Amino acid sequence: MIGKSYFLLSLLQVGLSQEWKGHPPREVTAQEGLCVQIPCHYSYPSHLANQSQVGVWFNNERGATSTTVFHSKDDNHVVPRFRHRTRLSGNLKDGDCSLIITNVTQEDSGPYYFRIGPDDRIAYRNYPVTRLNVSDFTDKPRIFPAEIIAGKRVDISCTFNTTCNGTAPVLTWDTPTDVPGSVSNTVTQHGVTLTYTSVLTLIPSLKHHGQNLTCRVRYPSVSSERTLRLIVQDSGGENLDVILILGIRAVIFIVVVVITVAGICVWERRTV
C-alpha cells in the first residue's frame, strides 16, 4: 500500500512539474565589487495559486543545503558568506525568482541552481543551472564637458550606469581647493538600466585653466575615476590655450626681430 501511494504521489508530481515553466540564462557575467542579477521567471499551475511556495537558490549544481545562498522562508538556511547579500528582485507569487547578489567577489563564481516547491523537501520544479562569471572591475564614470567661461556659472555632469538594483554607487568630485561649487545627485531608470548622475556647479576663473576635475565612483570594495582637464575661456570666449600659443609666437617673433636688427647693426659697424 505504501509503495502504491508513493507511486501515485510521484505521478502527481510529474504531472504538476510538466506545467511549470522557466528558462534561466546559462551564463551571467558580473564585475567584482558590484551587484549582479541572475534573471529567473517561471509560471505554475493555476490551481496552486493559493498555495505558499518556498524558493531556494543554491551555489552548486545539485541543490545541496550546504550551499544555500537564498531561502525565501528562513534566512537561517543561508550560508554565512551569502547572508545579507542576496534577495529576490520581485515576488515569487508573481513568477519572479530573479536573484540579486550584492558586493560580488571572485569566490561567488560558479553554478547557481533554483528550486521551488511547497516546502524544503518537495520540489515541483528544478531549473537548469546558471553559471556566474566574475571579472575585474573595469567600468568608469563618464564626464560630459561643458563650455567653461571665466566668471560664469557652469554645470558639469558625471554619470555611471548599472543594470543591477542592489548596492548603490556613490559619485564624488575632486576639485581645485579654491573653486567654490555645489553638487546635486539624481538617479533615473530607463528599462533595466539605472543611471546615477552627479552635477557639479561651479564658477571658475582664469587661474583654474589647465587644472583637473576628477569624478570618482565608489562601491564598498572597489572604485574607479575619470579626470577632466579644465579648458577655461576668457569672458570674450577666447580659449586661453590659443591665447598662450599666440602670445608665445608673438614673443618669439619679437625676439627674432631684435636679434636680426642687432645682427644688422653689428654687421654695419664692422663694414664701416
Side-chain angles (χ1 to χ4, degrees):
M1 184 68 179
I2 295 177
K4 184 177 180 180
S5 299
Y6 180 80
F7 176 72
L8 291 175
L9 178 60
S10 299
L11 287 179
L12 176 61
Q13 289 184 350
V14 170
L16 291 175
S17 67
Q18 291 175 349
E19 299 182 56
W20 292 73
K21 296 179 181 179
H23 302 282
R26 291 186 177 182
E27 286 191 345
V28 171
T29 299
Q31 294 188 43
E32 186 172 17
L34 308 189
C35 73
V36 63
Q37 177 172 303
I38 300 178
C40 175
H41 297 276
Y42 70 95
S43 59
Y44 54 92
S46 59
H47 67 273
L48 297 177
N50 294 325
Q51 290 189 14
S52 177
Q53 304 298 330
V54 178
V56 185
W57 277 94
F58 304 95
N59 184 211
N60 70 359
E61 299 185 8
R62 297 185 178 181
T65 56
S66 61
T67 59
T68 301
V69 302
F70 173 81
H71 195 288
S72 65
K73 189 176 182 180
D74 189 354
D75 286 342
N76 291 324
H77 291 287
V78 177
V79 296
R81 73 182 184 89
F82 281 102
R83 197 166 294 164
H84 308 305
R85 288 203 299 129
T86 58
R87 63 179 176 85
L88 297 186
S89 64
N91 195 313
L92 282 176
K93 290 184 178 180
D94 298 329
D96 189 347
C97 50
S98 300
L99 177 69
I100 289 180
I101 307 173
T102 61
N103 197 17
V104 174
T105 68
Q106 293 287 349
E107 190 180 0
D108 296 336
S109 298
Y112 285 78
Y113 163 88
F114 178 70
R115 186 182 76 190
I116 188 167
D119 57 37
D120 290 335
R121 298 178 299 277
I122 301 175
Y124 282 142
R125 185 69 186 218
N126 299 319
Y127 289 98
V129 167
T130 296
R131 180 164 293 277
L132 174 63
N133 301 312
V134 180
S135 62
D136 292 337
F137 178 55
T138 57
D139 285 353
K140 291 186 177 183
R142 296 179 60 192
I143 297 179
F144 295 89
E147 184 180 43
I148 302 175
I149 299 176
K152 291 188 177 182
R153 167 177 164 168
V154 63
D155 293 335
I156 301 176
S157 297
C158 175
T159 65
F160 186 81
N161 293 333
T162 178
T163 57
C164 182
N165 188 12
T167 304
V170 177
L171 292 174
T172 58
W173 290 90
D174 289 340
T175 64
T177 55
D178 59 343
V179 178
S182 61
V183 176
S184 61
N185 297 310
T186 58
V187 183
T188 57
Q189 183 169 1
H190 301 282
V192 298
T193 301
L194 290 167
T195 300
Y196 293 83
T197 302
S198 181
V199 178
L200 173 66
T201 301
L202 50 83
I203 302 177
S205 65
L206 292 178
K207 66 180 180 180
H208 299 125
H209 177 76
Q211 297 189 28
N212 292 331
L213 290 179
T214 298
C215 177
R216 182 174 291 105
V217 58
R218 297 181 185 274
Y219 279 91
S221 61
V222 294
S223 65
S224 66
E225 63 185 40
R226 193 176 295 274
T227 298
L228 171 71
R229 179 176 177 268
L230 290 177
I231 306 297
V232 182
Q233 301 177 2
D234 67 10
S235 57
E238 293 294 336
N239 189 315
L240 290 188
D241 280 341
V242 175
I243 294 175
L244 180 61
I245 292 173
L246 292 177
I248 293 174
R249 289 179 177 176
V251 171
I252 293 175
F253 175 77
I254 293 173
V255 171
V256 170
V257 170
V258 170
I259 292 175
T260 301
V261 172
I264 293 174
C265 292
V266 171
W267 180 80
E268 287 180 347
R269 289 179 181 177
R270 289 180 178 178
T271 57
V272 173

